[in-house]
Amino acid sequence: MADPVASIAGSAAKSVRPFRSSEAYVEAMKEDLAEWLNALYGLGLPGGGDGFLTGLATGTTLCQHANAVTEAARALAVTRPTRGVAFQAHSMVPGSFMARDNVATFIGWCRAELGVPEVLMFETEDLVLRKNEKSVVLCLLEVARRGARLGLLAPRLVQFEQEIERELHATPQGTHAPTAGDTETTTAPGTSTRGPRMTPSDLRNLDELVREILGHCTCPDQFPMMKVSEGKYRVGDSSVLIFVRVLRSHVMVRVGGGWDTLEHYLDKHDPCRCSSTAHKPAQPRAWTFSPQRVSPTPSPRPGSPVPGGERRGSRTEVTLRSTKEGAQTLP
């Protein structure tokens, strides 16, 4: 059986897949959670498609993790959670009465013992019948955040959140714009991460990947993204800052206390991409980590109107240029 931690460490070499669906970030989080649970418990949960939720539908892994979090809390003498769960672990069949009972037990533990907010909770049918995958994924990610504070292994996305929190706390107050979703993700004092380490993502190719995704739009008026520091960008004509990370085959943006794919984020915030009549997507091409890649230089037709010209000047290149402050700009 392949080492799940080794697969996590080498996954950054995968090509980047652009997503068109507004639910693309759910698939990214499912992959992250699958690798996390596989690393914790030596499972073989698949990350893509329905396999991940099907593997959790018996509720045994969920209840096992609930007891692991409770044990960690007891070891640190924290106030909650104080009680574990009793569950059926043998000969379980997804969709059976006992499987549903296990899932319901885990849900009750999340509410009563862990105090997960109702907005992040899911119902039994959401997992067993896959009625609402997003609710299941968001709840599991919140459970992982709280377990990480007790010293348990965290998924990669939670590790990214911790990195961002440390960066924000280390930055002098007033030198950065406030960002939404600044949630507490620090580990309890005196604790150490339990279980195998999940290797942080390499950011060396991040700028190139951002250019690749910006290059999807070949309109003369390109949406500006200015690099402030590694993994941090200023977007549009405002002072809004976003944090960008590479999650295996995804380029993710930290927004609103959660995560989104960069491509979907641009689809929602770039005025050009929001207009289907004005947006000019690039021709489909293979996506790879290519250090020699040169971003496309679109040329507008003579006499053609420039979309968004009244909003800002026309830009015909997708390149990096240095500013006096040392930042790099992606027009």
Side-chain angles (χ1 to χ4, degrees):
M1 177 178 177
D3 182 0
V5 180
S7 64
I8 293 171
S11 57
K14 295 180 181 179
S15 61
V16 175
R17 295 197 309 263
F19 285 95
R20 299 299 179 186
S21 168
S22 62
E23 299 297 321
Y25 65 95
V26 175
E27 292 300 318
M29 289 190 287
K30 282 165 60 176
E31 293 178 11
D32 194 33
L33 291 170
E35 290 190 0
W36 167 62
L37 290 173
N38 290 340
L40 273 176
Y41 303 112
L43 305 174
L45 294 173
D50 294 334
F52 172 63
L53 295 183
T54 299
L56 297 179
T58 62
T60 55
T61 299
L62 300 179
C63 291
Q64 182 181 358
H65 185 66
N67 287 339
V69 174
T70 303
E71 181 183 349
R74 289 173 180 168
L76 295 174
V78 299
T79 56
R80 60 193 308 179
T82 58
R83 297 181 181 179
V85 297
F87 63 99
Q88 298 290 332
H90 302 289
S91 302
M92 297 300 299
V93 178
S96 65
F97 175 79
M98 288 188 295
R100 291 171 180 265
D101 188 56
N102 281 348
V103 174
T105 297
F106 173 77
I107 293 172
W109 175 84
C110 289
R111 283 196 175 102
E113 293 294 325
L114 209 57
V116 175
E118 196 63 31
V119 69
L120 296 176
M121 288 302 306
F122 68 96
E123 301 299 330
T124 304
E125 300 300 304
D126 293 336
L127 174 57
V128 175
L129 299 181
R130 293 185 288 282
K131 287 188 174 181
N132 192 335
E133 293 187 358
K134 185 172 84 170
S135 293
V136 177
V137 167
L138 292 179
C139 180
L140 293 181
L141 197 60
E142 179 63 18
V143 171
R145 289 189 187 101
R146 295 173 183 241
R149 298 173 196 171
L150 300 174
L152 295 178
L153 176 69
R156 184 75 61 78
L157 283 175
V158 175
Q159 292 184 37
F160 289 159
E161 293 170 6
Q162 293 171 338
E163 292 174 6
I164 292 170
E165 285 300 311
R166 288 192 293 268
E167 181 179 346
L168 290 174
H169 292 157
T171 304
Q173 191 172 9
T175 60
H176 62 80
T179 56
D182 291 346
T183 58
E184 178 188 359
T185 56
T186 55
T187 303
T191 63
S192 59
T193 302
R194 304 181 182 186
R197 294 178 59 85
M198 296 181 71
T199 307
S201 177
D202 187 359
L203 297 179
R204 287 177 300 177
N205 293 300
L206 181 57
D207 290 333
E208 180 184 352
L209 298 178
V210 171
R211 290 197 301 270
E212 289 268 8
I213 293 178
L214 286 175
H216 270 183
C217 176
T218 60
C219 298
D221 192 25
Q222 293 287 340
F223 189 67
M225 286 185 65
M226 183 179 73
K227 179 181 177 182
V228 177
S229 62
E230 197 66 60
K232 184 192 295 184
Y233 293 81
R234 194 180 306 278
V235 297
D237 297 324
S238 67
S239 60
V240 175
L241 296 179
I242 62 172
F243 292 89
V244 183
R245 295 291 187 270
V246 179
L247 179 70
R248 290 172 299 278
S249 57
H250 315 275
V251 179
M252 305 294 291
V253 181
R254 174 76 166 155
V255 288
W259 294 91
D260 198 356
T261 57
L262 177 58
E263 186 165 86
H264 184 238
Y265 177 87
L266 293 173
D267 287 342
K268 293 186 297 183
H269 292 84
D270 182 354
C272 172
R273 299 186 189 220
C274 293
S275 173
S276 59
T277 57
H279 180 53
K280 299 178 182 179
Q283 294 296 323
R285 59 181 181 273
W287 284 66
T288 58
F289 286 92
S290 174
Q292 301 299 325
R293 173 167 177 76
V294 178
S295 300
T297 303
S299 299
R301 296 178 181 175
S304 63
V306 179
E310 69 284 359
R311 176 170 54 86
R312 56 182 180 270
S314 176
R315 301 176 179 88
T316 60
E317 293 182 322
V318 182
T319 59
L320 285 170
R321 68 170 182 266
S322 300
T323 64
K324 294 181 180 179
E325 295 77 15
Q328 290 179 307
T329 305
L330 288 172

